[in-house]
Amino acid sequence: MPLGSFTESFGAAVSCLSTSHLTDEVIRRSKRMILDTLGVGLLGTSTPVFNTVLQCSQQALENSKVWGRPGLSLPPQYAAFVNGVAVHSMDFDDTWHPATHPSGAVLPAVLALAETLPVKPSGLELLLAFNVGIEVQGRLLRFSKEAHNIPKRFHPPAVVGVMGSAAATAKLLGLPAAQSIAALAIACSSAGAPMANAATQTKPLHMGNAARGGLEATRLALLSLEGNTQILDLESGFGAFYPDYVPHPLAEVTPTSHYRWVLEDQNIAQKRFPAHLGMHWVADAAIEARAKFLDKCPNADLSQIKKITLRVPTSRYVDCPLPVSEHQARHSFQFNCCTALLDGEVTIETFSKSHMNRSALKEMLLKVQLENPQDNHSSFEKMYCEIAVETTQGEMFTARCNTFYGHWRKPLSHEDLVRKFRANASTVLSAEVVEGIIYTVDHLDTNQDCSMLWSYMHFNKHMMHRDECRSSQCNASLLNRSTFE
Amino acid sequence: INVCTQRSTRYLSAISAARGLHKSALDVAERPAPEETVTSSFGRFIQSVQPRHLSPTVLQRSKRMVLDSIGVGLLGSTTDVFELALQHCQHMYAPDDVSFVYGRQGVKLSPTLAAFVNGVAAHSMDFDDTWHPATHPSGAVLPALLAISDMFHNDSKPSGLDFLTAFNVGIEIQGWLMRFSNEAHNIPKRFHPPSVVGTMGSAAACARLLSLDRNQCSNALAIAASLAGAPMANAATQSKPLHIGNASRLGLEAALLASRGLEASPLVLDAVPGVAGFSAFYEDYAPNPITSLEEHEHSFLIETQDIAFKRFPAHLGMHWIADAAAVVHKTLAGLKGGSISPNQVQEILLRVPLSKYINRPFPETEHQARHSFQFNACTALLDGEVTVQSFHPEALQRPELLALLSRVRVEHPHDNPANFNIMYGEVEVTLVSGDVLRGRCDTFYGHWRNPLSQESLQKKFRSNAGAVLSNERVERLIEAVEGLDHLDDCKPLLAQLQ
């Protein structure tokens, strides 16, 4: 059967089934089901668990700001959701080892929650909560060997991200240990999304849902909802997401002890362009090969390239010879290779429609062949990319990238990180506000009041909510003060 | 009592032995620390770690992460997908809530949250229907459909038949998906089925009611797949009902997102090696396409595979053992004339399928009690039946019950597989007098092989609904559902629930 046909057949069936297809027996049986379900539902409204979720759903907490949308707020889980989607929308967010995108699941939830607290946390408390969320993810990932490889089954942010979000938000609220456990257990029931939706428009929702689910779990735990107190111990618990799950307890933490954070031993990769991490090896190798080519033949025409061989690890979801959507392009060894060869760089613009549709690019894509050498492991810790460019003149240019610039082994310099931030943030914020955020984050651990952070996020230089006009003038004067103090 | 903790320590040893763990890890696993589970160590860590534990490196690195994350987030706020998600949320979580909540007259929530809480209500006592292969199909679908129905304008509510069609699409999709895996035919061990297929069913039903085109329907299913899957460990806890609530809510969300144009994997139900889709939830996934409606007469699965309705609020497996124990109770009551005393009983042997999460010798909460062969057997032995009241706190703590529980032994015969279509329950009571009384149940009343009569079903409904609604409303609901396929619009049904 042609690929995609099962899914298609389901879509067709759902869409085409009509009243005419219902038989008498089906009608009879389904009416019985409806009656019974209504009845048990009504009875169930007298239970504590129902009352808990109702309270949680109704709670008129202050709303939290949506980033880049002045005047728009949502209940905190939904602010966390949309802001989380924003963070992962272009696959530009950080990546860790074992593989996941840790920050996007935690930061939006922590900020959204912090905003609603009557007593705002200090910058250090915010940082602590953030790090708890990262740490829990790192620890959980180490419970499985499979987690050390590029994922094939469940998308890691959906598995560990929601747990990190639950841990971070529980920490921010200062929950006692038993309630933190409940938050983790409740969050676990929201974990897990299959890899198939990577390289589609739905992938960013994995991040948004992780942020939201963790925050919601914490809120439910706060209302005394309970789950399995051994959720991390059991194969039928968090272990359900791994074939080789071996959990270990965390070391004891006393007020005077030193704590060894995973982040200390294992740094993070920050991307230089918005695409899957694997693309960064490819781009660096291709850029090097291109430089060698142009060095040898300064006036060369890139159409002289006859064949391009890419030696990369096996990873089905980033093997996309002819991507159609931007999401596919961000997950295509071939696309990123050809762009780098053509342009000498991969940028945000690379994934725009106009750039994607260039005929020179499309022609080059046809010349690419992938090889999966045995020694090229599907792991962000071990993989490499080798490129061999063959020209019509019979010349061969090769290059290899073991560690791209931005990888945890070769982290971005502070200047380059801030440069990336400025470039990104200034698409939406004015220079003043951009500098304000840089300053605030830099001083986060010494700042008593970090509420400026989410206020800054609420601006947009292209739009202004009428209610914000007055307040933004006030904020501007505050900005002037804080930036130059 | 730390039965559960001891079990998990033995569990860890068993796993580690099987996997040949490095010795130091084994030490960690087997050191006798009854209070310290991995889970509790996490809880403890989260609660006790302080700012002072943040080293300079950690501070520096994490601030870099915060900065980068904010930057990409701001940039990301210019994307289409962000705009889509935002519009969805604004629409869904607007201040004017439209959908009713069971048993709370006048209270309204947004449609997705109404689906959530009503779904939780449906599964809160494990009283909702069960199918084969195993799942609780209706609770995932009905709340979402009702919530959407509230969204429609008063003049354009769906007809009763449209509603029934959507409902059946939701059930059908669940049945089809479960047939893609042999593993799914047994009592689950890994993922709780309502959270896997229920979410998909809800998405399908909602897509149908919203009249989405076939691409949107496929996308709704694919988006829902990313919202599916909750581990079994939370069964028998207070969180289990949320599995159904979330299935209903998230399926609805998936359909709404698809209606706004969100796209997802076109291969989500196909088995693509190296990239898991829906197959992620099963070890043995072998999909088949649903036959095209143009080419073949479609036969709904519910037609050939009926559903089980429960007579009391507990896991389906409990119904076999309760009926078997009730037989013994009757015999015993006949012998001794009247009430049963634990002093008469020397030993109780239960022959049941092997399934960890329903094997609980001394349940401590109502949730555990609903998932305990032992508890349900002893209750039925004592009282002759299990009812809603059997799970009230006073009932859980009865000394006579506890005395019986301490006399229970469990066996797992080879011919009793953990499968709702094949299993049986056997109770063997040895009296101090030496007499041995036996009761066996192959098919309990309410099982699909021996379905509840319409009278029994209505009696259950009256008893349940009557706990929160007036008699008048209760009768009107029965009428509305009975005549659902003839209603021009489903307002009469919705009206009784508002």
Side-chain angles (χ1 to χ4, degrees):
Chain A
M1 293 231 63
L3 218 47
S5 53
F6 301 140
T7 312
E8 244 177 77
S9 72
F10 270 68
V14 170
S15 172
C16 300
L17 280 171
S18 75
T19 54
S20 60
H21 294 106
L22 296 172
T23 64
D24 288 337
E25 185 59 18
V26 169
I27 291 178
R28 187 189 74 90
R29 289 182 176 181
S30 48
K31 286 195 296 190
R32 283 160 58 87
M33 289 156 75
I34 290 172
L35 187 71
D36 190 64
T37 303
L38 286 175
V40 305
L42 287 165
L43 179 66
T45 61
S46 56
T47 60
V49 62
F50 174 79
N51 279 292
T52 299
V53 296
L54 180 57
Q55 250 187 298
C56 192
S57 304
Q58 275 183 303
Q59 238 165 20
L61 272 184
E62 246 184 80
N63 282 347
S64 302
K65 296 180 175 48
V66 173
W67 295 350
R69 291 286 191 283
L72 263 185
S73 293
L74 287 171
Q77 301 93 298
Y78 308 113
F81 173 59
V82 301
N83 292 337
V85 167
V87 170
H88 200 44
S89 59
M90 298 163 87
D91 228 304
F92 212 174
D93 47 330
D94 54 25
T95 313
W96 212 13
H97 178 71
T100 196
H101 305 290
S103 302
V106 172
L107 189 63
V110 165
L111 291 182
L113 180 60
E115 216 184 310
T116 66
L117 297 177
V119 178
K120 306 290 182 243
S122 68
L124 200 55
E125 283 166 341
L126 206 67
L127 268 173
L128 179 62
F130 178 81
N131 277 290
V132 165
I134 304 300
E135 178 73 2
V136 164
Q137 294 185 64
R139 294 285 170 186
L140 290 175
L141 286 165
R142 278 156 178 72
F143 291 169
S144 154
K145 286 208 169 59
E146 185 190 291
H148 287 61
N149 302 325
I150 298 178
K152 287 199 226 182
R153 194 162 181 193
F154 288 110
H155 190 212
V159 180
V160 294
V162 68
M163 307 297 277
S165 169
T169 48
K171 184 62 192 169
L172 196 65
L173 290 179
L175 294 190
Q179 275 187 323
S180 297
I181 291 175
L184 289 172
I186 297 163
C188 193
S189 277
S190 293
M195 280 308 292
N197 278 330
T200 78
Q201 203 187 25
T202 293
K203 189 188 189 194
L205 273 72
H206 292 184
M207 193 61 81
N209 281 323
R212 145 163 66 158
L215 174 45
E216 202 177 81
T218 290
R219 287 184 64 195
L220 286 165
L222 192 58
L223 290 169
S224 304
L225 186 72
E226 292 167 343
N228 191 317
T229 54
Q230 296 176 49
I231 194 73
L232 300 181
D233 295 73
L234 300 172
E235 225 172 63
S236 62
F238 190 67
F241 297 103
Y242 300 100
D244 63 340
Y245 183 69
V246 182
H248 301 292
L250 289 182
E252 219 189 306
V253 179
T254 70
T256 51
S257 68
H258 171 75
Y259 186 78
R260 189 91 197 155
W261 300 80
V262 173
L263 189 58
E264 229 149 18
D265 296 329
Q266 171 64 61
N267 202 353
I268 234 161
Q270 274 133 347
K271 296 173 174 175
R272 286 184 354 255
F273 55 83
H276 181 275
L277 203 74
M279 309 304 110
H280 284 65
W281 278 269
V282 171
D284 276 16
I287 289 167
E288 200 188 313
R290 177 182 192 270
K292 288 184 181 174
F293 180 30
L294 291 178
D295 212 41
K296 184 100 188 288
C297 334
N299 296 317
D301 180 1
L302 288 162
S303 61
Q304 284 171 20
I305 292 176
K306 187 172 80 169
K307 180 174 172 197
I308 306 162
T309 308
L310 276 184
R311 295 190 189 97
V312 288
T314 307
S315 184
R316 187 69 196 265
Y317 76 106
V318 285
D319 171 0
C320 187
L322 298 166
V324 169
S325 70
E326 73 180 85
H327 306 284
Q328 288 177 334
R330 300 187 200 279
H331 296 78
S332 164
F333 281 134
Q334 296 91 330
F335 178 87
N336 286 271
C337 163
C338 292
T339 299
L341 279 175
L342 213 54
D343 305 335
E345 59 177 359
V346 182
T347 65
I348 294 171
E349 262 309 293
T350 301
F351 303 94
S352 66
K353 275 200 172 52
S354 51
H355 269 64
M356 282 182 64
N357 284 331
R358 290 178 292 169
S359 47
L361 182 63
K362 289 185 172 177
E363 274 162 31
M364 198 176 282
L365 280 172
L366 299 169
K367 301 175 183 168
V368 179
Q369 200 168 318
L370 285 195
E371 278 174 17
N372 305 123
Q374 281 254 349
D375 71 342
N376 202 343
H377 300 285
S378 297
S379 143
F380 292 141
E381 176 61 30
K382 299 188 190 156
M383 68 173 276
Y384 64 85
C385 172
E386 220 168 67
I387 184 172
V389 177
E390 219 180 290
T391 67
T392 45
Q393 323 289 70
E395 290 184 290
M396 182 87 96
F397 299 95
T398 62
R400 175 170 170 138
C401 173
N402 288 322
T403 304
F404 65 86
Y405 177 46
H407 190 267
W408 44 83
R409 289 192 296 262
K410 202 194 281 182
L412 293 187
S413 67
H414 182 71
E415 293 70 38
D416 285 337
L417 189 72
V418 172
R419 185 175 305 134
K420 175 188 173 185
F421 176 79
R422 278 202 184 96
N424 287 344
S426 53
T427 57
V428 173
L429 301 175
S430 69
E432 271 174 332
V433 180
V434 170
E435 295 310 311
I437 298 178
I438 294 173
Y439 183 87
T440 307
V441 173
D442 208 34
H443 293 79
L444 208 47
D445 44 331
T446 51
N447 206 331
Q448 276 305 105
D449 173 17
C450 50
S451 52
M452 284 311 287
L453 196 53
W454 44 86
S455 299
Y456 283 141
M457 296 297 284
H458 206 49
F459 284 101
N460 190 318
K461 66 183 185 187
H462 302 298
M463 55 179 96
M464 194 175 271
H465 192 255
R466 60 174 185 279
D467 294 346
E468 295 282 306
C469 281
R470 224 174 343 125
S471 57
S472 70
Q473 279 164 17
C474 291
N475 282 334
S477 61
L478 271 171
L479 273 176
N480 290 329
R481 206 160 29 94
S482 67
T483 315
F484 303 109
E485 215 138 57
Chain B
I1 294 174
N2 263 319
V3 177
C4 293
T5 323
Q6 285 164 25
R7 200 164 53 219
S8 80
T9 315
R10 278 204 305 278
Y11 203 119
L12 281 170
S13 311
I15 306 172
S16 57
R19 291 170 182 159
L21 261 191
H22 185 266
K23 189 169 186 304
S24 59
L26 267 175
D27 288 341
V28 168
E30 295 184 321
R31 192 187 313 134
E35 299 313 323
E36 183 76 324
T37 57
V38 171
T39 310
S40 64
S41 77
F42 271 67
R44 199 212 344 94
F45 166 76
I46 294 170
Q47 181 255 326
S48 57
V49 73
Q50 293 302 313
R52 58 157 300 282
H53 292 111
L54 298 169
S55 69
T57 306
V58 170
L59 280 173
Q60 187 241 5
R61 288 181 178 180
S62 50
K63 286 193 296 186
R64 284 162 57 89
M65 289 156 76
V66 169
L67 187 70
D68 189 66
S69 208
I70 290 177
V72 304
L74 286 167
L75 178 65
S77 73
T78 61
T79 59
D80 285 343
V81 63
F82 173 80
E83 189 58 43
L84 193 156
L86 178 58
Q87 278 179 28
H88 166 77
C89 284
Q90 280 183 281
H91 199 79
M92 278 301 101
Y93 306 112
D96 51 334
D97 296 324
V98 298
S99 300
F100 79 87
V101 171
Y102 282 145
R104 293 289 191 279
Q105 201 168 357
V107 171
K108 299 252 196 274
L109 288 175
S110 68
T112 53
L113 291 178
F116 175 55
V117 304
N118 290 337
V120 167
H123 200 44
S124 59
M125 299 164 84
D126 228 305
F127 212 173
D128 46 331
D129 55 25
T130 312
W131 210 14
H132 177 70
T135 196
H136 304 291
S138 300
V141 171
L142 188 63
L145 290 181
L146 290 170
I148 295 187
S149 300
D150 270 337
M151 277 167 71
F152 284 97
H153 197 266
N154 237 0
D155 299 334
S156 47
K157 299 275 189 219
S159 72
L161 262 184
D162 284 337
F163 191 92
L164 270 172
T165 305
F167 178 81
N168 279 289
V169 166
I171 304 299
E172 182 74 353
I173 290 301
Q174 295 185 62
W176 265 84
L177 290 174
M178 285 189 292
R179 278 155 180 72
F180 290 171
S181 155
N182 284 329
E183 184 191 301
H185 286 62
N186 301 325
I187 296 178
K189 288 198 226 182
R190 193 149 169 238
F191 289 109
H192 190 213
S195 69
V196 179
V197 295
T199 315
M200 307 295 278
S202 171
C206 294
R208 186 71 204 89
L209 197 64
L210 293 170
S211 304
L212 301 188
D213 68 46
R214 58 179 68 188
N215 274 334
Q216 289 173 320
C217 289
S218 292
N219 278 318
L221 289 172
I223 297 164
S226 276
L227 297 164
M232 279 307 293
N234 278 330
T237 77
Q238 205 188 22
S239 284
K240 188 189 190 194
L242 272 72
H243 292 184
I244 288 270
N246 278 324
S248 207
R249 136 159 78 157
L250 298 172
L252 170 48
E253 273 201 35
L256 290 170
L257 285 165
S259 78
R260 285 184 179 279
L262 185 68
E263 290 170 339
S265 170
L267 301 176
V268 78
L269 297 182
D270 296 63
V272 178
V275 185
F278 189 67
S279 57
F281 302 106
Y282 300 100
E283 300 296 330
D284 62 335
Y285 183 75
N288 286 307
I290 295 189
T291 48
S292 156
L293 291 167
E294 281 127 41
E295 296 167 28
H296 296 101
E297 242 340 284
H298 186 90
S299 174
F300 281 83
L301 291 166
I302 194 76
E303 186 110 26
T304 44
Q305 170 64 62
D306 200 359
I307 221 156
F309 293 113
K310 295 173 176 175
R311 284 182 359 253
F312 55 86
H315 181 276
L316 201 75
M318 309 303 109
H319 284 65
W320 277 271
I321 209 69
D323 275 15
V327 169
V328 176
H329 166 91
K330 207 159 162 210
T331 316
L332 204 51
L335 277 178
K336 306 290 171 178
S339 57
I340 317 299
S341 161
N343 299 327
Q344 307 162 309
V345 174
Q346 183 169 307
E347 188 190 66
I348 303 165
L349 178 61
L350 302 181
R351 291 198 184 92
V352 289
L354 180 62
S355 180
K356 273 200 182 73
Y357 80 107
I358 41 183
N359 178 351
R360 293 169 197 276
F362 298 102
E364 287 167 19
T365 66
E366 72 177 88
H367 305 284
Q368 290 180 356
R370 300 187 201 280
H371 296 77
S372 163
F373 279 128
Q374 295 90 333
F375 178 88
N376 286 271
C378 292
T379 299
L381 268 175
L382 265 180
D383 306 335
E385 57 174 358
V386 182
T387 64
V388 171
Q389 287 71 28
S390 305
F391 301 93
H392 288 170
E394 324 80 60
L396 290 182
Q397 297 307 318
R398 288 184 290 168
E400 326 79 274
L401 182 67
L402 296 175
L404 282 183
L405 281 173
S406 62
R407 291 169 169 77
V408 176
R409 218 170 33 97
V410 171
E411 262 176 23
H412 307 298
H414 286 304
D415 70 343
N416 202 351
N419 177 308
F420 292 141
N421 212 22
I422 309 178
M423 67 174 275
Y424 63 85
E426 222 170 68
V427 176
E428 198 175 275
V429 178
T430 307
L431 302 175
V432 292
S433 62
D435 292 322
V436 178
L437 306 174
R438 213 174 270 129
R440 176 168 170 135
C441 173
D442 287 297
T443 303
F444 65 86
Y445 178 46
H447 190 268
W448 43 82
R449 286 192 301 261
N450 186 9
L452 292 189
S453 66
Q454 196 62 4
E455 293 70 40
S456 296
L457 191 70
Q458 286 183 354
K459 184 166 167 222
K460 176 186 173 185
F461 180 81
R462 281 192 182 96
S463 170
N464 288 344
V468 286
L469 296 180
S470 69
N471 287 342
E472 211 190 324
R473 285 199 170 216
V474 171
E475 294 309 315
R476 290 223 190 106
L477 268 174
I478 294 178
E479 237 179 82
V481 174
E482 189 55 34
L484 196 50
D485 42 333
H486 303 295
L487 290 179
D488 282 334
D489 71 51
C490 53
K491 278 198 290 230
L493 177 63
L494 295 170
Q496 303 312 322
L497 295 164
Q498 301 293 318

